[in-house]
Amino acid sequence: MASSSPDHDDASSVAGRLGAIRRRMTQACLAAGREPGDVILTAVTKTQPAEAIDAILAAGQRVFGENRVQEAQTRWTDRRVALANLELRLIGALQTNKAADAVALFDVIETLDRPRLAEALAAAAGKAGRTLRVLVQVNTGAEPQKAGVLPDEADALIAQARSLGLTVEGLMCIPPADEAPKAHFDLLRQIARRNGLAVLSMGMSGDYETAIRLGATHVRVGSALFGERNTPQTPSMD
Ligand SMILES: *Cc1c(COP(=O)(O)O)cnc(C)c1O
């Protein structure tokens, strides 16, 4: 594409990749007969340097996902004060002893996956005097090493979280890396439907268009925006 400012809109810049992903999201919505505005892009900034974050903020992105509480605090606490209408979403596993820190920083916790965490989050939200928006993470592939409530136990956890006063907006999943995601996205949508939940956080760099076709309302994209992460990501326990 001819451009007078290649640093800002070609495929090698964060802004250029952001524009390309937004266009592909729009096309996926239109192909599925959905309104483009119905799908939100969560930019996953875990392990990214400050320059990358500032570049994507400058390009207008305002919804972000982080998978570790402490790492998120160091990079978002000040930016959160400086920027209006930022939305921070926790997408990594959360320990109960970090519930209060998570509630203090994040707008939405996408990784509620067990009764004790629901209790800890409800207590922390109560202390902070706020209502807390959460998604229940479902381990759709029933993978032993993966976080998330088992599909059979999801209804009970959703009911418990609601009875504790948490605002359960929807569900999140990370399909098994070695399987086609469709069955997992379908299962997540079924569980959401029978529980009256509107939000489906599903789809990452490799499959966000498929996820949009299957009903995602939020896609979580990291490497397609920022390039491959240099730091290997192990599942985090904070
Ligand atoms: C890292 C991560 C993503 C983004 O993955 P990419 O493949 O880099 O887009 C999405 N969701 C979760 C839960 C993650 O940990």
Side-chain angles (χ1 to χ4, degrees):
M1 188 174 80
S3 168
S4 56
S5 56
D7 287 352
H8 293 289
D9 50 16
D10 77 15
S12 65
S13 72
V14 168
R17 288 189 292 255
L18 176 64
I21 288 168
R22 288 199 174 288
R23 283 191 291 278
R24 288 176 63 168
M25 287 176 62
T26 297
Q27 279 159 10
C29 284
L30 296 176
R34 302 183 60 190
E35 292 288 329
D38 288 353
V39 183
I40 291 169
L41 173 63
T42 299
V44 178
T45 41
K46 65 188 183 196
T47 77
Q48 296 303 330
E51 307 81 69
I53 293 173
D54 290 332
I56 197 165
L57 282 167
Q61 177 66 26
R62 286 295 179 272
V63 182
F64 295 94
E66 286 280 354
N67 70 339
R68 294 172 194 242
V69 175
Q70 239 164 334
E71 188 185 337
Q73 282 172 328
T74 61
R75 66 165 62 117
W76 287 111
T77 302
D78 291 346
R79 289 186 174 92
R80 149 133 267 170
V81 174
L83 288 160
N85 68 15
L86 204 64
E87 181 167 287
L88 297 181
R89 308 177 66 94
L90 180 66
I91 61 170
L94 179 61
Q95 286 181 331
T96 51
N97 64 9
K98 298 226 172 92
D101 287 344
V103 166
L105 182 65
F106 288 95
D107 299 285
V108 182
I109 309 289
E110 296 203 8
T111 49
L112 172 57
D113 65 353
R114 59 198 189 277
R116 282 204 43 227
L117 182 58
E119 288 164 13
L121 286 171
K127 242 185 201 160
R130 58 173 285 212
T131 54
L132 184 64
R133 300 157 60 199
V134 301
L135 306 187
V136 167
Q137 180 179 356
V138 183
N139 185 357
T140 55
E143 297 173 280
Q145 83 288 3
K146 199 169 268 179
V149 67
L150 290 171
D152 284 352
E153 295 164 12
D155 294 3
L157 181 59
I158 293 162
Q160 182 218 7
R162 285 171 161 162
S163 74
L164 287 167
L166 297 169
T167 303
V168 184
E169 294 187 331
L171 305 178
M172 180 272 235
C173 76
I174 309 170
D178 56 354
E179 286 180 29
K182 180 180 187 313
H184 300 275
F185 295 158
D186 282 341
L187 175 58
L188 200 70
R189 195 181 53 212
Q190 274 169 32
I191 298 171
R193 187 173 294 158
R194 70 171 181 248
N195 285 282
L197 295 170
V199 171
L200 289 173
S201 171
M202 56 189 202
M204 316 199 317
S205 289
D207 55 16
Y208 65 91
E209 289 158 299
T210 302
I212 288 171
R213 186 159 51 78
L214 297 173
T217 61
H218 291 66
V219 293
R220 310 178 306 269
V221 178
S223 45
L225 272 172
F226 298 106
E228 291 300 324
R229 288 175 289 275
N230 333 327
T231 327
Q233 274 295 308
T234 46
S236 132
M237 273 316 291
D238 66 10

